[in-house]
Amino acid sequence: MGSPRAALAELLAGNRRFVSGQPIHGHDVTAAAAAASGDQQPYAVLLGCIDSRVPLEAIFDQTFGSICVIRTGGHVLDRAVLGSIEYVVGQLGVPLVVVLGHERCGAVASTVDTLCGGRSPGGSLAHLVEQIAPAVTEVGVDDPRVHPLAIRRHVLRTVRALRADALLAAPVAAGRLAVVGALYDLATGEVALLET
Ligand SMILES: [Zn+2]
């Protein structure tokens, strides 16, 4: 593991590459695109995991102003997340909420480990485990495919919780808002919608 200073230097170097219009990772955005975004008119809000392999703007080939992105460990909901989504839907008129899970999610793995008798992680990380635990329990820790199945179940539970949210339920019922679940394939980069 490198030092915080080295990590910061690398991050800033990445920002300089971006500003100069010479990205090396192929994420096709430029400072000119940022300047041209004007008032934001996003058409979707994405809730995904913090996993560094799943950069949402990149994997959906988005540009500045096109989507709102919220990321938490295991895409766990809390009041700040819900308030953010309510803002985007209610104030910006966004018609689509996507919950994106991904394979080999560390937050789900930690939850499976804890429910299989491992030590609780403690701290606020325990909150993530508590929020993901119902999905793991529904699948059953003895299921040999508990990890991939719990990831799907957790996405679906998150979708249902959003559809039932006090300020989101009405636009969902009126057909003005869709809340969908999807999975990201780390190997192929493909996103597949889940039946909800
Ligand atoms: Zn994850």
Side-chain angles (χ1 to χ4, degrees):
M1 186 138 9
S3 68
R5 181 189 294 263
L8 180 59
E10 183 166 349
L11 193 64
L12 294 177
N15 181 247
R16 284 195 294 275
R17 292 195 300 273
F18 158 69
V19 171
S20 67
Q22 295 179 315
I24 62 174
H25 298 298
H27 187 184
D28 187 19
V29 292
T30 63
S37 61
D39 293 338
Q40 66 164 336
Q41 293 183 308
Y43 66 89
V45 54
L46 274 57
L47 172 60
C49 182
I50 59 168
D51 193 298
S52 62
R53 298 165 296 183
V54 193
L56 297 184
E57 289 90 344
I59 68 173
F60 284 98
D61 193 25
Q62 293 300 298
T63 188
F64 297 89
S66 67
I67 61 173
C68 294
V69 169
I70 303 166
R71 298 173 68 173
T72 64
H75 54 79
V76 163
L77 295 175
D78 64 13
R79 290 193 70 195
V81 172
L82 287 170
S84 300
I85 295 174
E86 289 170 356
Y87 168 76
V88 172
V89 170
Q91 303 298 313
L92 302 181
V94 163
L96 175 65
V97 180
V98 178
V99 178
L100 186 70
H102 69 97
E103 296 175 309
R104 307 203 297 278
C105 181
V108 173
S110 292
T111 305
V112 172
D113 289 346
T114 299
L115 294 182
C116 285
R119 278 168 49 107
S120 171
S124 294
L125 179 51
H127 174 69
L128 299 186
V129 168
E130 289 166 7
Q131 295 300 305
I132 297 170
V136 176
T137 302
E138 283 181 18
V139 173
V141 292
D142 295 330
D143 191 309
R145 299 191 64 231
V146 59
H147 193 192
L149 293 177
I151 289 170
R152 286 166 172 74
R153 190 67 62 95
H154 179 52
V155 170
L156 299 182
R157 287 180 57 90
T158 308
V159 167
R160 290 192 196 116
L162 287 170
R163 288 174 177 168
D165 177 80
L167 296 188
L168 302 180
V172 167
R176 296 196 307 273
L177 174 69
V179 183
V180 303
L183 274 184
Y184 178 68
D185 187 322
L186 289 170
T188 68
E190 292 180 2
V191 172
L193 290 179
L194 291 179
E195 297 283 338
T196 55

